[in-house]
Amino acid sequence: MTGTAALSISEVALENEQLRLALQAAQVGTWDYNMETGQAEWSVICKRLFGLPEDASVTPAVLLEQVHPDDRERVAHANARVLSPQSDGDHNVIFRTLREGSAPRWVQAKGKTILNDEGRILRFNGVVIDVTELKQAQEALQQSAEVLEQRVAERTQELKEANLQLKKSNENLAEFAYIASHDLQEPLRKIQSFGDILRDQYESQLGEGIMYLERMQSAARRMSTLIKDLLTFSRLSTRQENTTTVSLTDILSHVLHDLELAIQETGAEVTVESLPSVKGDASQLAQLFQNLVSNAIKFGHPGTKPVIEIRTERITATDLPLTIRPVRAVAAYQRIDVSDNGIGFDEKYIERIFQVFQRLHGTSKYAGTGIGLAICEKVVVNHGGSITARSQPGKGTTFSVYLPL
């Protein structure tokens, strides 16, 4: 029996020694305060964390004096709270301690009260941990967050100012568009009117000069068309002006009615599948399909009846071609294909055809200003979609419009 008791005591002593070494290695201080006797035990590391010598006589008042003045009231309140009868017995507070000759250290004190059967506090013990590096890291992170927040605020302000400048620029552009549509058209109308008078009244006297008059009239007409196209392009806002549910079938019906004369003159055959309704701006979508269909009629083979097919298909985002990057990413899209049997073009020019003033054919053979497809792309982008084309020289073209659903 004696041997067994001696072995048990040895095991306890060994465990205590292992615990002491572990606490020492981790630089964790401990305290134990006997509320009945008033005696307190503070480990060497605990004293060191409070800036006290190892042989210092320690009381709660002495330790409180070692707390940084800015934290002292908060620590005293935490101590009083945990020792009050209403306390849950848990103690956890972070504060700074004073150390002579060096900067204050941040420590965390965590403790627990032990009660007797009557609920009176017998002991109050716990540990003290140096958390200076953790606090410094937190402060550095906070400073970085504040710097980042400041930069975000500055950038936001810059964007607001840029938006204001852009708004002003757009207003100036709208004003210019009005001037272009009115003031620039007026002299062109006079040139055309006086040219008509010259031709009608003095054609016999002009002789070969009639050729120059016709060229002048043709140039004036092209300039008038160019101004009108520029006006249309500039008036397209960066979004839909009147977003409603639009029937594409109705849109195409109106477009074909407007192009009736060109269809009759060329004998064009236009086939339109039943098209869905989409959210968008009806006037802009009408401009889009009018440009695409009129292009298909205009760029037909000479002497060959234009054949135009308009088809549609609902596709998912995963079915989009790799080259398609819609403005607005959604789960599904409506693809509308406008195909023709016209002269086509080399696909190496695919990016060029959607740029303003870019033409693949001379004005002497195919009329136009080089703005029509740029308008198409702008309309599609305004609706959050994308447009592309597939073509081969002499084998027709298919324009594919992707509108988000």
Side-chain angles (χ1 to χ4, degrees), residues 144-159:
S144 297
E146 291 174 355
V147 170
L148 179 59
E149 185 177 353
Q150 177 64 25
R151 290 180 179 175
V152 169
E154 292 173 355
R155 183 58 177 160
T156 301
Q157 183 60 32
E158 291 174 359
L159 289 175

Side-chain angles (χ1 to χ4, degrees), residues 96-161:
R96 286 163 292 181
T97 60
L98 301 175
R99 299 173 55 153
E100 187 175 354
S102 61
R105 303 291 292 178
W106 283 95
V107 299
Q108 181 176 16
K110 301 184 69 172
K112 184 75 176 176
T113 56
I114 300 173
L115 309 179
N116 62 12
D117 294 339
E118 289 78 25
R120 191 172 69 253
I121 298 176
L122 293 178
R123 307 177 80 88
F124 175 41
N125 52 33
V127 298
V128 181
I129 308 170
D130 188 337
V131 293
T132 302
E133 293 183 359
L134 176 61
K135 288 293 292 184
Q136 289 174 343
Q138 289 175 341
E139 290 174 357
L141 183 61
Q142 177 64 26
Q143 290 176 357
S144 297
E146 291 174 355
V147 170
L148 179 59
E149 185 177 353
Q150 177 64 25
R151 290 180 179 175
V152 169
E154 292 173 355
R155 183 58 177 160
T156 301
Q157 183 60 32
E158 291 174 359
L159 289 175
K160 287 181 179 178
E161 293 174 358

